[in-house]
């Protein structure tokens, strides 16, 4: 009935006006014609200029008398009728005379090429040729080539360097002499060669140093130190000018001078813990092998002093002495220390080894790693604490504990970027539970937010009380990535998370975690933490070694990484978007990752390898057949809001993630899952059991902290990157490194501008289940309209693939998968085999026609 009514509609009395696009079409065509005309004119002008200059090189002597006549160029062009030898006529002769003779000589050819390049760009309507880069080359050639040609061929009659080169050489010859002019030209040319081609002579210098050191060691029986180093009984280095060595390399100390209190500052020779702290600041690759003999006892006031490390090339903790303040019967003495690490100024990237039999980086051999100048350089202030604040917090803690009858032996403080850890040693007979129950009382007396008590601190005989600092400091991501600990590590997937409470950089290997679960309330730093992890991996790994699968239900958090699709991202075949936002596509992607995991386990089994590291080592050593094996990059699955997936898809998402978490570690697939609602129905027991590494930013309730960490404490954090990480058997408090969105944009744009792969890394097509729309029981009466056409295409290509059907017939993934299931049920193609095409059981069209005629 609806169709009948539709057919009875009468056409409108007047034709509708043309759409706006058609109205504007003549204007668009006119603009295109103007652009083409201008582009063709500039292209021909550039070619004309180049031809006239080339002809001038051979005919300049014949035309020179006309060009330098007294009448000038205007009379030569418009009034003189004498024929010229230049193939481009009078205009070409005059133009080449101005550019070559009065200009920059042979370097003027670049001007004609530049005009032609501009014309090509205008014709194509885009930057077909990099003009800005070309103009840089033009300026370099004009400034260097013209004077150099004049300097080398000054006696030549042809003006190789033009007036520009002649005037420059005459000026510098008068200023510096011919020898000085040659040195200036040589140094300038070498400078631009090193800048443009980025030549690195550091390997040559390192080899020279190594040979010199080898020769020096051969003829020098004993090691020689550049600076005198005093001796001490146990081999530890003590400066005679320092008052007292302290007990820890990165802590602040509060000492109680009561008679029954053990002092914290001890003899350096007897304090083995302090000796070990000094050794930690030495580079392991350069151990001190010189043994010092024991000297005679010196007076105590001359032996001990403030400790300062003078070893060349080491950047250890710098001690800043602070005066002592008395308070009742307690004396507060502390030293604020700043832990620093040596930084690398040339970037935090790896180099491609030239001596490996197979280098996967050769697929993008011109790829350049991001440089550190893409990140903002924030001013790093020394970690310090106001003396009055330190005294006040110490007094309040002591008064609170004593008011409840709790006596202590010692109290020390470790100052971090966000919080200060006060370590308390209780007197004999004090129950730890009594101090643990005073958390609210201490917080009330200190009037501070985020008091956390650790009773006891694992591995120490102390009780920790964490108090937020009044002045919190930002952990700079650039400074973290430039440290030697990050640049020269041997980790598979290094990630720089932030600084610990003792200011030590926290850099961990994601491959050993092996999966990471993150949770935190909105606005507490969860997205910044994800960006810090991703930026760390982008700075360290080559595109051939790492791929990301990004799931972003919020559609805005991870969209910034779309620029690096052809470098670092992986997606399903024939998908337009590399950042997955559709829930249905998330399910397909997770199933595809499971298929990828199964395929990789098959490759490892055939190769006789237990994990991806052993497999890739064999493949790089060319011990595996490339026809059956391939290099396997790491794959990192990043899910920004897991709670939304669980609420929408439930078990369809939970089960493949649980399977990946259980099995995918050995084949190089790792998961990073983040959520802002860590409830038990989102982070289930199946998921928690396979995520030993967990990060908790500030949460709203204690039950959420117990859900993510299996312990409380996350509800007491102060926010803005303050987090707790549970890895292995330890629970650490960190200040997350801060990387802003513009910094991430700079990094991804730097990578995106480079040459990438033709497409993103393609995951295998997932096998369709019955609930996904596939119908395994074939019914000829209910087959798809395109069934026969798809069957013929499959037989002709002898390859059964859902992606081929999508491309051939412009179908969606669901319908193409449904047709492929019908072809399988009918017996035309075989079952899915992961990333490999399905088998086709018919070889010719005649066999297929005979089979289809039997179905109808």
């Amino acid at each position: 009935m609806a169709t009948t009514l539709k057919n009875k509609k009468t056409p409108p009395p007047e034709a509708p006006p043309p759409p706006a696009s058609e109205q504007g079409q003549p204007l668009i065509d006119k603009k295109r014609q103007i652009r083409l005309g201008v582009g063709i004119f500039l292209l021909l002008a550039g070619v004309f200029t180049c031809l006239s200059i080339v002809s001038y090189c051979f005919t300049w002597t014949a035309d020179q008398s006309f060009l330098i006549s007294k009448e000038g160029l205007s009379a030569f062009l418009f009034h003189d009728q004498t024929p010229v030898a230049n193939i481009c006529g009078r205009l070409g002769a005059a133009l080449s005379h101005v550019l070559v003779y009065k200009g920059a000589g042979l370097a003027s050819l670049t001007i004609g090429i530049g005009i032609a390049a501009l014309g090509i760009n205008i014709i194509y309507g885009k930057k077909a040729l990099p003009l800005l880069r070309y103009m840089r080359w033009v300026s370099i050639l004009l400034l260097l080539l013209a004077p150099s040609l004049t300097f080398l061929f000054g006696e030549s009659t042809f003006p190789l360097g033009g007036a520009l080169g002649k005037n420059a050489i005459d000026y510098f010859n008068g200023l510096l002499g011919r020898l000085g002019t040659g040195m200036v030209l040589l140094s300038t040319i070498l400078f631009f060669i090193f800048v443009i081609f980025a030549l690195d002579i550091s390997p040559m210098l390192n080899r020279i140093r190594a040979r010199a050191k080898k020769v020096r060691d051969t003829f020098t029986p004993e090691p020689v130190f550049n600076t005198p180093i005093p001796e001490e009984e146990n081999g530890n280095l003590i400066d005679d000018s320092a008052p007292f060595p302290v007990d820890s390399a990165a802590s602040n100390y509060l000492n109680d001078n009561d008679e029954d209190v053990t002092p914290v500052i001890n003899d350096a020779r007897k304090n083995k813990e302090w000796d070990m702290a000094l050794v930690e600041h030495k580079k392991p690759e350069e151990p001190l092998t010189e043994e010092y003999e024991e000297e005679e006892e010196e007076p105590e006031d001359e032996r001990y002093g403030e400790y300062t490390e003078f070893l060349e090339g080491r950047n250890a903790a710098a001690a800043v002495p602070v005066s002592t303040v008395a308070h009742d019967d307690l004396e507060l003495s502390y030293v604020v220390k700043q832990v620093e690490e040596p930084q690398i100024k040339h970037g935090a990237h790896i180099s491609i080894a030239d001596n490996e039999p197979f280098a996967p980086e050769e697929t993008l051999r011109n790829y350049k790693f991001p440089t550190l100048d893409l990140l903002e350089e924030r001013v790093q202030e020394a970690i310090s604490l106001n003396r009055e604040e330190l005294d006040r917090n110490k007094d309040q803690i002591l008064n609170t504990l004593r008011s409840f009858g709790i006596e202590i032996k010692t109290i020390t403080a470790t100052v971090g970027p966000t919080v200060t850890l006060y370590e308390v040693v209780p007197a004999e007979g004090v129950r730890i539970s009594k101090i643990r129950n005073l958390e609210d009382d201490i917080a009330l007396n200190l009037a501070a937010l985020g008091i956390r008590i650790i009773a006891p601190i694992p591995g120490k005989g102390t009780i920790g009380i964490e108090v937020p600092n009044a002045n919190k400091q930002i952990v700079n991501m650039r400074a973290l990535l430039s440290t030697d600990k990050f640049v020269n590590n041997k980790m598979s997937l290094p990630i720089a998370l932030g600084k610990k409470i003792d200011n030590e950089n926290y850099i961990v290997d994601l491959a050993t975690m092996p999966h990471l679960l993150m949770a935190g309330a909105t606005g507490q730093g969860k997205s910044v933490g994800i960006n810090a992890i991703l930026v760390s991996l982008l700075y360290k790994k080559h595109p051939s070694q790492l791929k990301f699968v990004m799931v972003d239900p919020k559609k805005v958090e991870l969209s910034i990484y779309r620029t690096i699709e052809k470098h670092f991202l992986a997606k399903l075949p024939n998908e337009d978007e590399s950042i997955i936002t559709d829930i249905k596509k998330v399910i397909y992607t997770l199933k595809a990752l499971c298929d990828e995991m199964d395929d990789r386990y098959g490759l490892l089994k055939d190769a006789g390898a237990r994990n991806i590291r052993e497999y890739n080592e064999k493949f790089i050593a060319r011990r595996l057949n490339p026809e059956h094996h391939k290099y396997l990059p790491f794959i990192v699955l990043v899910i920004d809001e897991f709670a939304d997936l669980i609420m929408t898809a439930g078990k369809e998402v939970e089960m493949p993630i649980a399977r990946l978490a259980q099995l995918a570690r050995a084949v190089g697939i790792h998961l990073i899952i983040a959520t802002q609602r860590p409830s038990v129905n989102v982070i289930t027991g199946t998921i928690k059991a396979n995520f030993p590494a967990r990060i908790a930013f500030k949460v709203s309730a204690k039950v959420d902290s117990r859900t993510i960490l299996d312990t409380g404490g996350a509800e007491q954090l102060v926010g803005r990157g303050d987090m707790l990480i549970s890895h292995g058997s330890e629970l650490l408090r960190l200040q997350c490194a801060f990387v802003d969105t513009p910094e991430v944009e700079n990094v991804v744009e730097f990578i995106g501008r480079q040459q990438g792969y033709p497409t993103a890394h393609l995951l295998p097509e997932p096998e369709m289940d019955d609930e996904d729309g596939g119908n395994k029981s074939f019914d000829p009466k209910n087959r798809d309209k395109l069934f026969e056409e798809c069957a013929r295409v499959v037989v002709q290509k002898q390859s059964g693939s859902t992606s081929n059907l999508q491309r051939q017939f412009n179908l969606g993934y669901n319908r193409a998968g449904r047709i492929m299931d019908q072809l399988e049920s009918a017996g035309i193609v075989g079952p899915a085999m992961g990333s490999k095409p399905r088998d086709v059981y018919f070889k010719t069209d005649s066999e297929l026609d005979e089979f289809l005629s039997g179905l109808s």
Side-chain angles (χ1 to χ4, degrees):
M1 184 62 183
T3 306
T4 305
L5 293 176
K6 184 176 180 180
N7 294 335
K8 288 183 179 181
K9 289 183 179 180
T10 58
E14 297 181 0
S21 60
E22 295 182 4
Q23 293 176 358
Q25 191 67 26
L27 181 60
I28 296 176
D29 293 340
K30 187 175 181 180
K31 291 182 178 179
R32 185 182 298 112
Q33 292 172 359
I34 294 174
R35 189 187 71 220
L36 290 176
V38 174
I40 293 174
F41 173 77
L42 292 176
L43 176 61
L44 295 178
V47 174
F48 180 85
T49 303
C50 293
L51 292 176
S52 65
I53 294 175
V54 173
S55 178
Y56 180 83
C57 296
F58 302 96
T59 63
W60 69 280
T61 54
D63 300 335
Q64 192 74 0
S65 58
F66 304 110
L67 294 170
I68 60 177
S69 62
K70 297 181 180 180
E71 288 78 5
L73 291 178
S74 60
F76 172 75
L77 288 174
F78 303 109
H79 302 290
D80 195 352
Q81 301 297 326
T82 305
V84 295
N86 196 298
I87 62 174
C88 294
R90 285 190 182 84
L91 180 60
L95 181 62
S96 57
H97 174 74
V98 173
L99 293 178
V100 178
Y101 186 80
K102 296 184 177 182
L106 290 181
S108 301
L109 272 173
T110 56
I111 299 178
I113 299 174
I115 297 174
L118 178 60
I120 293 175
N121 282 353
I122 295 177
I123 291 174
Y124 281 94
K126 60 181 181 179
K127 294 182 179 179
L129 296 174
L131 283 182
L132 293 179
R133 186 183 306 172
Y134 170 81
M135 294 306 297
R136 182 179 63 187
W137 281 92
V138 169
S139 62
I140 293 173
L141 287 175
L142 293 178
L143 293 175
L144 293 181
L145 183 60
S148 300
L149 290 176
T150 303
F151 181 81
L152 295 175
F153 307 100
E155 302 299 330
S156 175
T157 57
F158 183 79
L160 293 172
L164 173 63
K166 184 177 183 304
N167 293 335
I169 293 301
D170 290 344
Y171 173 77
F172 280 104
N173 282 340
L175 180 66
L176 304 174
R178 185 168 179 81
L179 179 60
T181 303
M183 296 176 64
V184 170
L185 285 176
L186 180 61
S187 60
T188 307
I189 292 173
L190 292 178
F191 171 76
F192 278 108
I193 289 176
F194 282 107
V195 171
I196 293 172
F197 297 102
L199 297 181
D200 187 9
I201 62 172
S202 57
M204 180 179 65
L205 296 178
N206 292 334
R207 286 194 295 268
I208 294 175
R209 293 194 192 99
R211 292 179 180 177
K213 182 179 179 182
K214 185 177 181 180
V215 173
R216 184 176 66 250
D217 294 342
T218 303
F219 295 99
T220 305
E222 295 181 358
V224 179
F225 295 90
N226 295 329
T227 57
I229 302 178
E231 302 180 0
E232 205 270 334
E233 285 184 348
N234 295 331
N236 297 315
L237 306 178
I238 305 298
D239 187 7
D240 295 336
S241 62
F244 287 99
V246 292
D247 206 26
S248 175
S251 301
N252 303 324
Y253 294 92
L254 309 178
N255 301 329
D256 192 343
N257 286 343
D258 288 345
E259 295 180 356
D260 57 342
V261 176
T262 304
V264 176
I265 299 177
N266 299 320
D267 191 325
R269 294 181 299 171
K270 299 178 181 179
N271 194 340
K272 302 301 181 182
E273 181 180 357
W274 178 74
D275 294 342
M276 296 177 62
L278 294 182
V279 176
E280 290 177 356
H281 290 287
K282 300 174 184 177
K283 291 184 179 179
E285 64 270 15
E286 298 179 3
L288 293 178
T289 57
E290 183 73 6
E291 296 182 1
Y292 298 98
E293 297 180 358
E294 186 174 349
E295 293 187 351
E296 297 181 1
E297 286 280 326
E298 295 181 3
E300 185 173 351
D301 56 348
E302 296 180 3
R303 283 190 60 87
Y304 299 105
E306 178 186 2
Y307 170 74
T308 307
E309 187 174 16
F310 286 98
L311 287 179
E312 181 180 359
R314 291 170 173 80
N315 193 358
V320 181
V322 183
S323 59
T324 301
V325 178
H327 176 77
D328 295 330
D329 56 343
L330 295 176
E331 183 176 327
L332 175 61
S333 178
Y334 56 91
V335 175
V336 179
K337 290 179 176 284
Q338 173 70 25
V339 175
E340 298 178 355
E341 291 193 15
Q343 297 187 352
I344 307 300
K345 297 182 180 180
H346 300 291
H349 58 77
I350 61 175
S351 60
I352 299 175
D354 296 329
N355 57 350
E356 293 179 347
F358 172 78
E361 300 89 350
E362 289 295 326
T363 54
L364 285 182
R365 62 183 309 167
N366 296 325
Y367 175 79
K368 295 182 179 180
F369 287 82
T371 55
L372 292 175
D373 55 5
L374 299 173
L375 302 177
E376 184 177 350
E377 186 175 6
R378 298 177 176 86
V379 178
Q380 292 293 303
E381 299 179 357
I383 301 297
S384 60
L385 194 67
N386 186 288
R387 192 177 72 181
E388 296 180 358
E389 180 183 356
L390 186 63
D391 294 338
R392 183 174 62 255
N393 291 343
K394 185 265 302 184
D395 294 339
Q396 293 293 346
I397 293 175
L398 294 178
N399 293 337
T400 303
L401 294 178
R402 287 179 176 178
S403 64
F404 287 92
I406 299 175
E407 296 294 334
I408 64 171
K409 291 182 178 181
T410 59
I411 177 171
T412 64
T414 303
V415 182
T418 304
V419 297
T420 299
L421 174 64
Y422 295 86
E423 297 185 42
V424 174
V425 178
E428 298 293 337
V430 176
R431 297 175 62 88
I432 296 178
S433 59
K434 294 180 63 177
I435 301 179
R436 187 187 296 116
N437 295 332
L438 297 178
E439 183 174 279
D440 295 335
D441 299 280
I442 297 175
L444 176 63
N445 291 333
L446 292 177
L449 177 65
I451 299 296
R452 196 170 76 99
I453 293 182
I454 311 172
I457 297 178
K460 295 184 179 180
T462 59
I463 297 174
I465 303 174
E466 295 177 347
V467 181
N469 297 337
N471 298 322
K472 303 176 182 63
Q473 297 186 346
I474 297 177
V475 177
N476 190 6
M477 189 68 185
R478 175 171 177 171
L480 206 60
L481 296 182
S482 63
T483 57
D484 181 76
K485 186 176 182 180
F486 179 80
V487 176
N488 296 324
N489 68 73
K490 303 299 181 182
M491 301 178 183
S492 299
L493 295 174
I495 55 177
L497 287 177
K499 286 181 177 288
K500 295 195 292 186
I501 201 170
D502 58 356
N503 304 314
E504 181 183 352
N505 295 330
Y506 188 79
I507 298 171
V508 67
D509 191 357
L510 178 62
T512 62
M513 284 187 167
H515 312 294
L516 183 59
L517 188 61
M518 303 175 64
T522 303
Q524 303 303 324
K526 178 165 49 63
S527 297
V528 175
I530 294 178
N531 287 333
I533 293 174
L534 297 181
V535 168
S536 301
L537 296 175
L538 292 178
Y539 265 87
K540 195 63 177 176
K541 306 304 292 184
H542 189 271
S544 63
Q545 301 171 333
L546 175 64
K547 302 296 176 183
F548 293 107
V549 178
M550 296 188 178
V551 178
D552 185 14
K554 293 189 288 188
K555 304 180 181 180
V556 294
E557 294 293 342
L558 300 178
S559 60
I560 190 175
Y561 295 96
R562 189 178 290 110
T563 310
I564 58 174
E565 173 183 346
K566 295 183 179 181
H567 299 82
F568 283 98
L569 298 189
K571 64 178 183 179
L572 291 173
N574 297 313
E575 286 295 335
D576 296 332
E577 294 293 332
S578 54
I579 308 298
I580 307 167
T581 57
D582 185 21
I583 300 299
K584 199 68 175 178
K585 294 181 180 178
V586 173
I587 299 174
Y588 296 151
T589 303
L590 294 177
K591 292 182 179 180
L593 281 176
C594 292
D595 294 342
E596 175 74 14
M597 178 184 67
D598 295 335
D599 293 343
R600 290 191 171 198
Y601 268 113
L603 294 176
L604 263 64
K605 178 182 177 182
D606 296 340
R610 295 179 301 173
N611 51 54
I612 187 174
R613 181 187 292 271
E614 295 180 4
Y615 175 87
N616 285 337
E617 288 178 354
K618 287 186 176 182
F619 189 84
I620 289 175
R622 301 191 184 277
R623 295 166 56 190
L624 300 177
N625 188 352
E627 295 182 358
H628 304 290
H629 295 273
K630 59 182 180 180
Y631 182 83
L632 299 180
F634 286 96
I635 297 179
V636 178
L637 171 63
V638 183
I639 301 178
D640 185 43
E641 185 46 64
F642 185 63
D644 185 71
L645 298 182
I646 292 295
M647 292 175 59
T648 307
K651 293 294 182 181
E652 292 181 286
V653 170
E654 180 183 353
M655 297 313 295
I657 285 182
R659 187 164 182 261
L660 289 172
Q662 291 171 354
L663 302 174
R665 171 186 181 178
V667 293
I669 301 177
H670 304 278
L671 281 63
I672 300 175
I673 295 179
T675 180
Q676 62 182 358
R677 191 166 61 85
S679 56
V680 292
N681 59 338
V682 174
I683 303 177
T684 61
T686 305
I687 294 177
K688 286 178 59 177
N690 297 286
F691 282 81
R694 305 169 197 171
I695 291 178
F697 293 89
K698 182 177 176 59
V699 295
S700 56
K702 191 172 184 178
V703 63
D704 293 338
S705 176
R706 291 187 177 275
T707 302
I708 184 68
L709 296 176
D710 294 329
T711 184
E715 75 282 357
Q716 299 291 347
L717 299 177
V718 296
R720 302 193 60 177
D722 190 18
M723 67 181 187
L724 292 173
I725 178 169
S726 174
H727 182 213
S729 60
E730 60 180 358
L731 182 66
L732 298 176
R733 188 168 186 174
L734 305 179
Q735 177 62 34
C736 182
F738 179 72
V739 53
D740 204 359
T741 303
E743 300 177 71
V744 181
E745 291 178 349
N746 293 337
V747 175
V748 298
E749 287 177 1
F750 177 85
I751 298 175
R753 286 194 299 265
Q754 303 184 51
Q755 179 186 1
Y757 296 103
T759 61
H761 183 78
L762 298 181
L763 299 174
E765 296 180 6
E767 184 178 356
M768 301 290 293
D769 296 332
D770 292 342
E771 58 269 18
D772 295 332
N775 186 11
K776 296 297 183 180
S777 59
F778 177 67
D779 186 2
K781 297 181 180 180
N782 295 327
R783 61 187 178 185
D784 195 277
K785 295 180 180 180
L786 297 176
F787 175 82
E788 293 187 4
E789 298 182 31
C790 293
R792 297 183 190 279
V793 170
V794 168
V795 172
Q796 291 173 1
K797 294 187 176 182
Q798 287 296 302
S799 174
S801 172
T802 304
S803 60
N804 289 336
L805 298 183
Q806 287 183 268
R807 290 191 295 268
Q808 188 76 18
F809 297 97
N810 194 20
L811 301 176
Y813 188 83
N814 289 342
R815 186 179 180 185
R818 191 182 305 113
I819 295 175
M820 187 59 65
D821 289 337
Q822 293 178 2
L823 294 175
E824 178 187 351
S825 302
I828 298 176
V829 298
M833 297 184 293
S835 60
K836 300 179 181 179
R838 298 169 182 252
D839 294 331
V840 182
Y841 297 145
F842 294 89
K843 303 301 181 183
T844 62
D845 291 340
S846 59
E847 295 179 5
L848 179 64
D849 292 338
E850 182 179 356
F851 175 77
L852 294 177
S853 62
L855 292 178
S856 57

